Amino acid sequence: MPQSKPYQGCSLDDRDPKTIQSLMPFYDWVYRYYFRVKTSGWHHVPTDKPVLFVGSHNGGIAAPDMHMLMYDWWRHFGTEKPVYGLMHPKAWQVFPHITTMAAKLGAVKAHPKMAIAAFRRQASVLVYPGGAYDAFRPYRLRDRIYFADHKGFIKLALREEIPIVPLISWGAHDTLFILEDCYEQVHQLHKWGLPWAMDIDPEVFPIYLGLPWGLSFGALPNIPLPAQIHTRVCPMITFERYGRDVLADSAYIDSCYTTVVTQMQSALDALISELS
């Protein structure tokens, strides 16, 4: 009997409002009692046009701050109004059962074509440019916006003439304590003949403390520790020039990238200061 192929994350139609609605009571309990979320800034989200949400997330693969922001979207705009989240292509290969459910919640493979298709439907898109580098950044960098110099989201926004709405959070770094990322060291050992037994994510190789593994390493799925999470939707960012012509201007793309990172860092600094 032929085996079914893992879900490839290539259809916007897999998003299922009924599945989302069925999970709302669970998300509500987690939101209110497990993470005790405090949020603000949702008035910055326009209701008449799609936007590109650009976020920074914490807590490893579980990324609880991302889930809490998604739940806030559903609370504010309902489960029928779509927003699609770009998920790392590697996840569709490694976690087929998890990604099948994620697709029902609005996750699609991280590729410009998927985002553009969503914009064509007047749907907003959520992206975390830092990917695994961001989600697994060491605890000492918890107060840093870290996108690893990934600028694809800037090119997407400029090409499609879509405004950016930044998302920041504080507290989710306490759900999984990332001690250090040892990718470079392990990569060198691999070159010397050490088998890469934990080839879950080739970008990072973190050492961390958390559930259910205790002290462990590798980009494994985790159960978030209970910690209060604060999220904030920041003011919309628009640029002076848009269109395909500006994509050849690397200096302009760099400037736009710096603008987004700087404004997000300022917003995160302000949030941390408010909570101190």
Side-chain angles (χ1 to χ4, degrees):
M1 183 175 181
Q3 293 183 346
S4 60
K5 295 181 179 180
Y7 177 73
Q8 296 299 309
C10 296
S11 176
L12 301 177
D13 295 329
D14 287 322
R15 184 183 184 277
D16 182 13
K18 291 183 179 179
T19 297
I20 297 172
Q21 191 62 49
S22 70
L23 292 173
M24 290 294 278
F26 168 75
Y27 270 100
D28 183 70
W29 184 89
V30 172
Y31 184 95
R32 294 177 184 275
Y33 302 110
Y34 197 80
F35 295 126
R36 295 161 287 135
V37 179
K38 302 293 183 183
T39 192
S40 62
W42 283 92
H43 61 282
H44 293 305
V45 180
T47 57
D48 59 343
K49 58 184 176 183
V51 300
L52 178 61
F53 289 106
V54 176
S56 175
H57 55 352
N58 310 260
I61 290 177
D65 42 4
M66 177 199 70
H67 286 277
M68 296 301 95
L69 281 162
M70 290 294 295
Y71 175 65
D72 263 317
W73 170 276
W74 299 326
R75 289 175 65 219
H76 283 86
F77 303 110
T79 59
E80 295 288 339
K81 186 176 177 65
V83 59
Y84 292 95
L86 303 184
M87 183 179 285
H88 198 297
K90 188 74 173 181
W92 304 100
Q93 302 172 21
V94 179
F95 307 116
H97 298 296
I98 294 176
T99 51
T100 297
M101 174 56 72
K104 294 181 179 181
L105 304 183
V108 293
K109 185 183 292 187
H111 192 284
K113 289 183 179 180
M114 299 305 301
I116 292 169
F119 292 143
R120 295 287 188 271
R121 295 189 181 189
Q122 294 298 299
S124 293
V125 173
L126 169 62
V127 62
Y128 288 89
Y133 297 105
D134 182 38
F136 285 100
R137 70 190 186 280
Y139 191 80
R140 57 185 166 79
L141 300 178
R142 63 192 180 280
D143 59 351
R144 298 290 93 192
I145 299 296
Y146 184 60
F147 289 161
D149 213 32
H150 294 166
K151 298 170 185 171
F153 73 100
I154 293 292
K155 296 176 184 178
L156 175 64
L158 294 176
R159 172 191 161 128
E160 296 303 307
E161 302 184 22
I162 297 290
I164 286 175
V165 174
L167 306 173
I168 61 169
S169 71
W170 183 251
H173 49 268
D174 288 331
T175 67
L176 184 71
F177 292 92
I178 312 296
L179 305 179
E180 194 56 74
D181 179 16
C182 297
Y183 172 82
E184 291 298 333
Q185 294 86 341
V186 173
H187 187 58
Q188 289 300 319
L189 291 173
H190 179 58
K191 285 183 177 180
W192 296 339
L194 179 71
W196 197 302
M198 306 303 295
D199 188 19
I200 291 179
D201 195 315
E203 299 174 337
V204 297
F205 201 88
I207 299 175
Y208 57 85
L209 284 169
L211 296 175
W213 317 108
L215 177 64
S216 193
F217 54 85
L220 293 169
N222 64 287
I223 301 172
L225 294 164
Q228 186 167 34
I229 294 176
H230 296 262
T231 65
R232 178 163 294 174
V233 181
C234 303
M236 184 187 302
I237 297 176
T238 56
F239 305 115
E240 293 182 1
R241 294 186 288 143
Y242 285 94
R244 296 189 180 188
D245 293 343
V246 304
L247 300 182
D249 189 341
S250 59
Y252 181 65
I253 291 173
D254 290 346
S255 175
C256 294
Y257 174 83
T258 300
T259 295
V260 173
V261 173
T262 299
Q263 290 194 25
M264 290 182 68
Q265 187 63 61
S266 296
L268 181 59
D269 291 343
L271 177 59
I272 296 171
S273 178
E274 292 172 19
L275 299 174
S276 299

